[in-house]
Amino acid sequence: MSNEIPIGSPVRTQAIINRYFMRAKKSLGQNFLVDLTAIKGIVEAADIQPDDQVIEIGPGIGSLTEQLLMAGAKVFAYEVDDNLPEILQNELPKEVNGQPIAERFELMMKDILQADFAADLGDFFDLTKPIKVVANLPYYITTPIIFFLNKAKLKFVSLTLMMQKEVAERLCAKPGTKAYGPLTIAVQTQMQVEIALSVKSSSFIPRPQVDSSVVVLTPLVDKPAIGDAEHFNWVVKMCFAQRRKTLNNNLKPLLPVATERAQVFAELGLEPKVRPEQLSIQQFAQLAQRIPVRKS
Ligand code: SAM
């Protein structure tokens, strides 16, 4: 098969699968992209410019990697499937824009959740320059990955991530909607979130059971004042403990005295029967300030 056919085309992916007797591993969330429009859509959503430094999580057989390289990015990838280094080495182009692949692509066999970015990337990237993360994520660890990247000491300029559509909707949700909840709030206090494109299950081999979306997360410059993040996120979680109940009911374990709850509601201008999903992030921040900090 000519290497001029992109890896992400169905015919080339199928040929690679046959050549290496591959079986997609469900346990590693392996759904390989075979839709060049979607792959290029991800590269465009990430706004890849020549010499951008990109971390890719899970390159798989290299369909997205190849397009990131073609767009001019330098790619550092984390992967855990031991069968893939040989395939990537054989199938990715040997040269990109006249430069040997080794200067443009590096693979680290390591769980992304164990990454030590400063140590791992230091020889390959200039850590004083911006770094983007781009991935068709293994869906089984989508939220742990987002929280891990958010906590990392290295500050990323953007995260462009393919994920299950339902998770994407929760990340972007507005107050008053069914999808709005603790995950929405924890992420929106840190990042601006936008859905860039939707991807059908027929764009993957094998097809996932769910539809997918590409989300672009950009760290907020002006983060809302939520005080101690751990306390804030705990209060939010408790407020949503029983979604179908009112905020007042959910608050009983945190503020057991009815008159105290009534006073807080009055101070914050909240209706007695308000439901947790109706509160904005600012209102949760005001509420968290009035809840005693949990003793550990
Ligand atoms: N990027 C490829 C594509 O778009 O076709 C593959 C995407 S596939 C949905 C997810 C990839 O993440 C797989 O290659 C899988 O082996 C890898 N992976 C799974 N768990 C991982 C982890 N903890 N750290 C790094 N990579 C992981």
Side-chain angles (χ1 to χ4, degrees), residues 188-208:
Q188 289 187 10
T189 55
Q190 304 295 318
M191 291 182 267
Q192 190 196 312
V193 194
E194 251 175 71
I195 294 187
L197 61 142
S198 304
V199 182
K200 290 200 212 85
S201 60
S202 57
S203 299
F204 303 85
I205 292 180
R207 290 184 185 198

Side-chain angles (χ1 to χ4, degrees), residues 2 19 106 112 173 191 213 218 220 232 243:
S2 157
R19 186 175 313 145
E106 188 158 316
I112 181 66
M191 291 182 267
S213 301
T218 322
L220 288 171
F232 172 84
R243 221 179 212 286

Side-chain angles (χ1 to χ4, degrees), residues 28-33 56 58-60 63 79 111-112 136 140-141:
L28 295 180
Q30 291 184 346
N31 298 98
F32 301 116
L33 262 172
E56 187 186 2
S63 46
E79 180 54 72
D111 177 350
I112 181 66
N136 170 18
Y140 72 108
I141 42 171

Side-chain angles (χ1 to χ4, degrees), residues 69-229:
L69 292 167
M70 303 303 271
K74 231 179 139 177
V75 180
F76 187 100
Y78 288 91
E79 180 54 72
V80 286
D81 182 346
D82 289 332
N83 295 325
L84 294 173
E86 181 200 354
I87 300 179
L88 286 164
Q89 194 180 358
N90 293 344
E91 302 297 332
L92 282 172
K94 303 283 172 270
E95 271 190 9
V96 189
N97 302 329
Q99 280 188 283
I101 184 83
E103 286 177 23
R104 307 302 300 174
F105 174 70
E106 188 158 316
L107 179 65
M108 181 165 271
M109 295 306 291
K110 193 178 199 180
D111 177 350
I112 181 66
L113 298 177
Q114 302 298 326
D116 175 347
F117 294 114
D120 298 347
L121 306 167
D123 292 340
F124 193 64
F125 281 170
D126 178 347
L127 298 182
T128 64
K129 300 225 169 100
I131 296 175
K132 295 177 176 174
V133 178
V134 182
N136 170 18
L137 287 178
Y139 291 178
Y140 72 108
I141 42 171
T142 300
T143 46
I145 289 176
I146 293 173
F147 287 123
F148 181 77
L149 295 173
N150 181 54
K151 275 203 172 154
K153 287 207 186 79
L154 213 61
K155 292 299 161 213
F156 303 108
V157 284
S158 63
L159 316 176
T160 304
L161 307 174
M162 170 97 79
M163 63 188 71
Q164 190 176 334
K165 184 176 172 203
E166 192 215 318
V167 179
E169 285 171 353
R170 282 165 64 199
L171 294 183
C172 296
K174 299 259 181 302
T177 62
K178 228 173 121 188
Y180 184 75
L183 176 64
T184 318
I185 296 164
V187 171
Q188 289 187 10
T189 55
Q190 304 295 318
M191 291 182 267
Q192 190 196 312
V193 194
E194 251 175 71
I195 294 187
L197 61 142
S198 304
V199 182
K200 290 200 212 85
S201 60
S202 57
S203 299
F204 303 85
I205 292 180
R207 290 184 185 198
Q209 304 282 351
V210 293
D211 284 330
S212 301
S213 301
V214 176
V215 175
V216 182
L217 301 113
T218 322
L220 288 171
V221 180
D222 289 319
K223 296 197 170 95
I226 57 166
D228 177 66

